[in-house]
Amino acid sequence: MGISRKESSNEMWGGRFEGGPAAVMREINNSLALDRRLWRQDIAGSQAHVAMLGAQGIVPAADADAIAEGLGRVAAECEAGRIPDDPALEDIHMATEARLAELVGPVAGRLHTARSRNDQVATDFRLWVRDAIDEVDRGLRSLQRALVARAEEQAATVMPGFTHLQVAQPVTLGHHLLAFHEMIARDRSRFIDSRRRLNESPLGAAALAGTGFPIDRDRTATALGFARPMRNSLDAVSDRDFALDYLQAAAQCALHLSRLAEEFVIWASQPFGFVSLPDAWSTGSSIMPQKRNPDAAELVRGHAGRIVGCATALLVTMKGLPLAYSKDMQDDKPPVFEAHDLLGLSLLAMTGMVETVAFRPDRMRAAAEGGFSTATDLADWLVRVQGIPFREAHHVTGRAVRLAEKRGCRLWELPLEVLRTVDARIDAGVYEVLSVDASVASRRSYGGTAPEEVRARAAEARAELDRE
């Protein structure tokens, strides 16, 4: 007899149990509603496994062919949205096997030869996380392209650079945007590194000890695109480092997206007015008709907290588990799936905002010209031109700032005779460095904010993206 979808899960487990599980046990044990999204990976793993069983003569070739054909039919049904959802079947793995049995009959029972649900689940989940990393990487690459394009466009747009959210020195908007490009590049490297580590196949580890059947684990690993089989069967079924790696990379990435979102929230506020977010990324108020709220950015900021929580949840779940498999590990997927969904939405939202936001260079320049942002340029000029030690130049500049503050003017608006009362070594050449444009133009060191340097780094980044 084949496995009927009407059979209860205890019959799937074999003859050890006489009675069925309690209703609450069925509910707490059932994960089908959640792990149904693993169907592609589950069928791919089963196809690789049965092909190996047939090639090794463990299963008759005709039976292996029949199972493979049946799995193809199950896959077509799932693709059409007809994923088995019988609550009597506790997960996607049993559900697809049960449907296979309906299609090909008792021969379906041979599929599970030399395989446990432990290595099956571990394989499916690794495949899913690998696909998720590839998906996230495409999204991150799109965001990088958007950041580079806007950075090139705004390479010479002057804005205030901040420390402690106080005006510090003038920078260019292009330089500011490229800082986020660098953060995203590191995020991509973390995901790529985690992908490299996870790319080993657990299939063939069976329950925990391997199997006595003459299986070919290299064959199944190659068929599924893994670099090699995992070297220890206990580790293969109990490891969830790959899921933790993914979550920790996702958490770090979400933090970067949250920081960019926070910039947009601040910049869109009326006191700043540095940007105007399009209608597509804004909402209104139910009571205040004048409001234009940066809700998309705020939601990205909020999603970061949830993604960090997902990483924490799995860390705590795994922290005290003995080898090899424990049912706690059924809870490995909800945080990964949730984090992945939230990260995908956040990436789409931030990419859309970067691509379409309207910058306000006039407001940015006005803010950069306030707060005595070129004070460091005065100090540097005193060092470079007059040979004054920097600490002394710092004190001279501080006195000049205090004087401008008292007079209610900018540094470059102080008359030369007034500046010379601060220090007689100051001459007319100082006015060549005191404007915000002169300030940013002078920062030509590698990675600096000078427009020519921003354009060079943006071109370099674009070339790297084009080579991928």
Side-chain angles (χ1 to χ4, degrees):
M1 290 292 291
I3 301 169
S4 169
R5 294 173 67 191
K6 299 300 182 184
E7 289 180 303
S8 63
S9 58
N10 69 302
E11 290 174 302
M12 295 285 287
W13 302 333
R16 174 65 177 84
F17 292 81
E18 293 182 358
V24 172
M25 178 59 195
R26 284 196 299 271
E27 184 170 351
I28 197 173
N29 195 46
N30 190 290
S31 63
L32 181 55
L34 178 80
D35 61 27
R36 57 193 291 130
R37 68 167 74 190
L38 294 173
W39 71 264
R40 287 184 177 85
Q41 292 77 23
D42 191 63
I43 291 174
S46 291
Q47 289 282 26
H49 183 66
V50 76
M52 180 275 296
L53 293 177
Q56 293 295 105
I58 299 170
V59 167
D63 289 352
D65 290 344
I67 292 169
E69 189 273 336
L71 287 168
R73 291 167 63 188
V74 176
E77 292 178 357
C78 291
E79 192 69 60
R82 300 196 303 275
I83 300 176
D85 60 358
D86 190 335
L89 300 169
E90 63 186 67
D91 56 29
I92 188 63
H93 320 291
M94 285 188 172
T96 55
E97 188 176 341
R99 180 58 182 147
L100 176 67
E102 291 180 349
L103 293 172
V104 304
V107 70
R110 295 189 182 276
L111 174 60
H112 214 52
T113 306
R115 182 177 72 172
S116 163
R117 216 164 19 143
N118 291 355
D119 63 331
Q120 182 182 4
V121 170
T123 302
D124 292 358
F125 198 19
R126 277 179 184 262
L127 290 171
W128 190 93
V129 171
R130 191 177 70 185
D131 291 342
I133 289 172
D134 293 342
E135 182 182 336
V136 169
D137 188 66
R138 289 190 293 271
L140 289 170
R141 188 168 180 268
S142 294
L143 177 55
Q144 282 184 299
R145 283 198 171 277
L147 287 165
V148 170
R150 298 310 300 269
E152 289 175 322
E153 170 194 304
Q154 304 293 335
T157 299
V158 174
M159 67 172 292
F162 298 94
T163 61
H164 309 280
L165 205 55
Q166 305 291 309
V167 173
Q169 291 180 275
V171 296
T172 54
L173 176 55
H175 189 57
H176 196 111
L177 293 172
L178 286 181
F180 284 99
H181 167 271
E182 294 301 310
M183 294 182 200
I184 300 305
R186 291 193 296 273
D187 291 328
R188 291 185 69 191
S189 73
R190 274 183 282 272
F191 280 112
I192 291 168
D193 189 47
S194 67
R195 190 191 194 282
R196 177 188 57 78
R197 271 195 303 276
L198 75 77
N199 204 33
E200 298 182 348
S201 175
L203 193 57
L208 75 162
T211 178
F213 289 96
I215 62 173
D216 184 347
R217 293 191 63 205
D218 288 305
R219 180 189 177 105
T220 52
T222 300
L224 294 170
F226 288 114
R228 64 190 67 82
M230 295 184 73
R231 293 181 294 186
N232 184 283
S233 60
L234 279 169
D235 181 50
V237 299
S238 65
D239 170 58
R240 292 299 183 270
D241 287 359
F242 64 93
L244 290 167
D245 279 352
Y246 176 84
L247 286 172
Q248 290 175 99
Q252 183 70 67
C253 181
L255 293 183
H256 290 153
L257 297 180
S258 181
R259 294 185 72 180
L260 178 56
E262 174 68 0
E263 301 276 19
F264 280 9
V265 171
I266 293 173
W267 292 354
S269 66
Q270 283 83 357
F272 276 76
F274 287 2
V275 301
S276 176
L277 287 174
D279 291 349
W281 304 108
S282 307
T283 66
S285 165
S286 63
I287 191 172
M288 294 170 284
Q290 84 281 9
K291 292 295 292 301
R292 186 184 185 84
N293 300 324
D295 280 9
E298 291 173 357
L299 287 167
V300 170
R301 192 174 59 186
H303 286 171
R306 293 174 63 187
I307 293 170
V308 170
C310 289
T312 302
L314 188 54
L315 282 166
V316 174
T317 296
M318 296 299 298
K319 72 174 182 62
L321 296 186
L323 294 178
Y325 180 83
S326 298
K327 197 65 171 181
D328 313 47
M329 292 163 70
Q330 182 166 295
D331 284 337
D332 57 359
K333 296 167 200 66
V336 174
F337 291 165
E338 181 182 2
H340 180 69
D341 292 346
L342 291 171
L343 186 59
L345 283 172
S346 295
L347 279 170
L348 289 171
M350 287 314 309
T351 302
M353 280 184 272
V354 169
E355 289 174 339
T356 60
V357 66
F359 295 111
R360 297 281 307 279
D362 56 329
R363 294 294 297 265
M364 292 183 177
R365 174 176 285 274
E369 290 178 343
F372 310 106
S373 64
T374 59
T376 303
D377 297 277
L378 172 55
D380 287 347
W381 182 88
L382 289 167
V383 172
R384 186 172 60 252
V385 176
Q386 302 300 343
I388 300 174
F390 182 81
R391 284 301 167 203
E392 182 183 349
H394 188 283
H395 291 302
V396 171
T397 302
R399 292 196 296 272
V401 167
R402 188 165 62 248
L403 187 58
E405 193 171 40
K406 287 179 179 178
R407 294 171 68 100
C409 67
R410 299 178 178 93
L411 273 176
W412 63 86
E413 294 173 334
L414 286 171
L416 180 58
E417 60 270 21
V418 174
L419 281 172
R420 288 179 63 83
T421 66
V422 176
D423 193 292
R425 290 168 289 187
I426 298 176
D427 60 39
V430 76
Y431 293 104
E432 296 177 6
V433 303
L434 288 184
S435 73
V436 293
D437 292 299
S439 176
V440 298
S442 71
R443 310 292 173 177
R444 294 187 296 272
S445 57
Y446 183 87
T449 195
E452 63 188 74
E453 181 63 19
V454 171
R455 292 188 184 99
R457 300 288 72 76
E460 189 175 83
R462 181 181 291 279
E464 289 174 356
L465 290 168
D466 288 343
R467 285 195 296 269
E468 293 180 3

